[in-house]
Amino acid sequence: MNQTVNQTLWQTVLGEIELTVPPSTYAAWFANTKLIDQSEDSVTIAVQNTFVRTQFEKKYDPIVREVLKKNNVNASRVVYVIEGAKTRTSETERHASAFRAPGRPTSVGASLPSVKPPTAPPSSTLNPKYTFDSFIVGSSNDLAFAACQNVAVNPGQKYNPLFLYGGVGLGKTHLIQAVGNEVVKNNPNARVLYVSIETFVREFLDIVRLKKKGNDFSDHYRNVDVLIVDDMQFIAGKTATQEEFFHTFNHLHQANKQIIITSDKPPKSIPTLSERLRSRFEWGMAIDIQMPDFETRSAIIETKAAQSGVTLDHDTVEFLANNVKTNIRELEGVLNHLLAHAEMRGVAPNMEMAEGLLGNVRATRPHHVTPKQIVEKTAKHYGLGIVDLLGAKRDKHIVVPRQVAMYLLRSELHLSFPKIAQELGKKDHTTAIHSVEKIETAMKLDFVTREQVNSIREKLYG
Ligand code: ADP
Ligand code: MG
């Protein structure tokens, strides 16, 4: 059968499927498929990548068959293949040209406006550990994952902006950074900029306050191919910044540059967000991420333990997956805690140990912790007075505890950086950002920090 007939048939099938599944499902899975071959008893559908193929094989095959049948195609075999290596190459070439280095000769994509190279490669803001490979997919996050993969392959073409929302610790930052990393991997010349909205706010306010020329700022945010902005909810109430972001958004969107945004809530629920910004955020695709189910949580625990070189037995994995249902960051925290305990005692982690640890965590979690308690307990843990912690002295034995307090205000109460700075009597919230980042890194690399922070946590909830 020839290609035109195939295409017409497939358009009809897709048309019917589009009427029966939610729009986000259609866009994520079906929109990019093609019928490439049809013989007597088999139909071959081309999909974009392995991940999509698995989804079709596991989930969407029945609906495809059913609608094919309705259209008089009774195939005993429906085969899903990934668009051939050939198509891939041409796709990569196309992107490479879209992201060509400024000034480099090019034959395609000549309509793209040429832009100045940024002073520093902005992609350095990406954390290389956040990749698609290290992200575990389950039904709570598969749509978000698929949309992100799509955007990474076709930046600026579909789903613009891509807006991911969901509670803390559910993998939003991980996914959007994975997009950035993937784009840069495919196109080393791509300019990908990842920022927290708090950085955007701070840099913008600096310009206003110091009456600086805003050109560098605008250039920095506008000369990019992909702009990734994390934690948009913190723009609430910041009218002037919203205005500035609105212009940045329009500039990039008009130039078909990809914009990716996360928030802890959907656009319509961000308080005091200007109507026009809200409507912009709703232009593309908004997808939520939820807490993974038990199987996915188990897979995450096993994978993360394996990354630390530890194999957990089945009971321990199951126990953790059954008992930590808040978010993945917490799940990672409990797991790290367990691994640290085992390491310290020189034994293999097991379920009794996990029970002991979680017993503490659980018995205590219902307590509501206040910022004041965090400051007090941290000061006490390090044998300092509260006055020292809130003061301005820069001695190392005070600076580190101060950083830990800031870290805990963020990890336990999810306070914004300006609020954290305020709790510690600081005017400038840049310090809060650096401090939290510093301890976050130390928590991963340094056993002593981990133990100290966990010990303060135990006191907080004890
Ligand atoms: P959010 O930005 O939504 O608050 P993060 O992206 O910071 O959450 O995720 C918190 C932690 O949990 C990160 O270390 C991240 O790598 C991990 N994580 C979250 N979801 C997953 C997942 N599905 N697979 C693997 N790791 C995950
Ligand atoms: Mg995040």
Side-chain angles (χ1 to χ4, degrees), residues 15 48 84 98 110 130 152 164 170 295 322 333 356-357 399 415 423 445 453 456-457:
Q48 259 183 316
Y130 291 135
L164 292 189
L170 296 182
E295 281 75 25
N322 263 324
L357 290 175
V399 169
L415 296 191
E423 289 298 337
L445 304 177
V453 169
I456 301 173
R457 275 199 179 118

Side-chain angles (χ1 to χ4, degrees), residues 5 37 39-40 72 116 135 155 173 199 209 236 240 257 306 310 336 340 343 345 347-348 356 367 376 379 400 423 456:
V5 178
D37 193 42
S39 66
E40 198 112 299
N72 303 319
K116 283 189 284 177
F135 193 85
T173 299
T199 306
R209 204 179 43 208
K257 303 301 187 189
V310 177
N336 286 341
E343 183 185 328
R345 284 166 187 69
V347 295
H367 274 287
E376 277 170 13
V400 174
E423 289 298 337
I456 301 173

Side-chain angles (χ1 to χ4, degrees), residues 172-173 230-231 329:
K172 301 184 295 298
T173 299
D230 212 349
D231 292 322
R329 186 172 300 146

Side-chain angles (χ1 to χ4, degrees), residues 129-130 134-137 141 166-175 230-231 292 296 300 304 328-329 332:
K129 85 165 192 189
Y130 291 135
S134 61
F135 193 85
I136 315 281
V137 185
N141 56 25
V168 283
L170 296 182
K172 301 184 295 298
T173 299
H174 186 136
L175 270 183
D230 212 349
D231 292 322
T296 316
I300 291 175
K304 306 250 166 192
I328 305 304
R329 186 172 300 146
E332 276 187 350

